[in-house]
Amino acid sequence: AVVSTQSTGDIAKLCCSITEDPYNNIPAMKKLRHYCTTEDSKAGQTVRKLAIISLTAVYNDILPSYFIKPPKELESLSKEVKVQHSYETDLLRNYRVFLDLLFENLNLAFQTKKEKAKSKVSSEGLNARRNLGLLSLKCMAELLSKNYNFNLRSNIVNTLVP
């Protein structure tokens, strides 16, 4: 299957813009996440995988090595701290949505026989789901190993270690 050069180029540009200036390019994460949910054609599957791997690498580069705590009183904070808090809140929200997407891929990949029968997906579709689920699992493990002090680690651990 031919993968769209435009899609791969867009993914690369978005990743570069986010890693170069994460404070001002957080909205680009939503655009990048869009590629993680493209159609299920063979080319679409390749783009999805590329986007998931790329977003995992971006998060590994930009996530802070500390746990983000909610501030107690925003009014009493300086302007710089408010800007930092706003960035951290947006980053955490985007990270949570990305992890939810990975969890969903994993759940779809390893459905029970009853659930598979209800979904009426072809064996090729089931194989594609399984591959996407395994990739999501690897990405979660990588995120956990590189960002073990960051928020939502328990969600990943509970998924990886049932």
Side-chain angles (χ1 to χ4, degrees):
V2 177
V3 179
S4 166
T5 308
Q6 181 181 357
S7 295
T8 56
D10 287 348
I11 291 170
K13 287 177 188 171
L14 290 167
C15 289
C16 286
S17 71
I18 295 167
T19 53
E20 286 173 2
D21 187 7
Y23 279 84
N24 294 314
N25 291 315
I26 287 284
M29 287 183 169
K30 185 175 181 180
K31 294 176 188 172
L32 192 52
R33 254 194 341 268
H34 170 75
Y35 286 106
C36 295
T37 57
T38 57
E39 74 280 349
D40 285 333
S41 67
K42 284 188 179 184
Q45 282 292 321
T46 304
V47 170
R48 284 176 83 172
K49 290 176 184 178
L50 177 63
I52 289 170
I53 291 168
S54 299
L55 205 44
T56 299
V58 166
Y59 280 118
N60 280 334
D61 285 346
I62 68 169
L63 287 179
S65 59
Y66 54 86
F67 190 85
I68 296 174
K69 296 179 184 175
K72 299 208 173 26
E73 296 176 19
L74 274 176
E75 306 85 37
S76 64
L77 301 175
S78 69
K79 183 178 179 181
E80 295 82 23
V81 174
K82 285 181 183 179
V83 169
Q84 177 72 20
H85 170 68
S86 175
Y87 163 73
E88 289 177 345
T89 302
D90 289 346
L91 179 64
L92 187 55
R93 185 174 25 80
N94 277 284
Y95 184 60
R96 178 176 282 121
V97 171
F98 179 61
L99 285 180
D100 287 344
L101 184 133
L102 296 178
F103 294 143
E104 183 180 327
N105 288 343
L106 199 56
N107 288 334
L108 285 173
F110 300 104
Q111 291 178 324
T112 64
K113 287 183 181 182
K114 257 186 199 179
E115 292 169 329
K116 286 179 187 176
K118 285 182 186 177
S119 66
K120 297 180 182 177
V121 177
S122 68
S123 62
E124 187 177 301
L126 288 173
N127 194 33
R129 278 185 180 177
R130 191 169 299 112
N131 289 337
L132 199 57
L134 290 172
L135 175 68
S136 296
L137 187 66
K138 289 176 186 177
C139 289
M140 282 189 266
E142 186 177 333
L143 287 165
L144 182 63
S145 71
K146 295 216 167 82
N147 305 290
Y148 50 86
N149 286 326
F150 194 65
N151 301 57
L152 305 172
R153 65 182 173 261
S154 60
N155 298 28
I156 298 173
V157 169
N158 290 335
T159 300
L160 296 177
V161 184

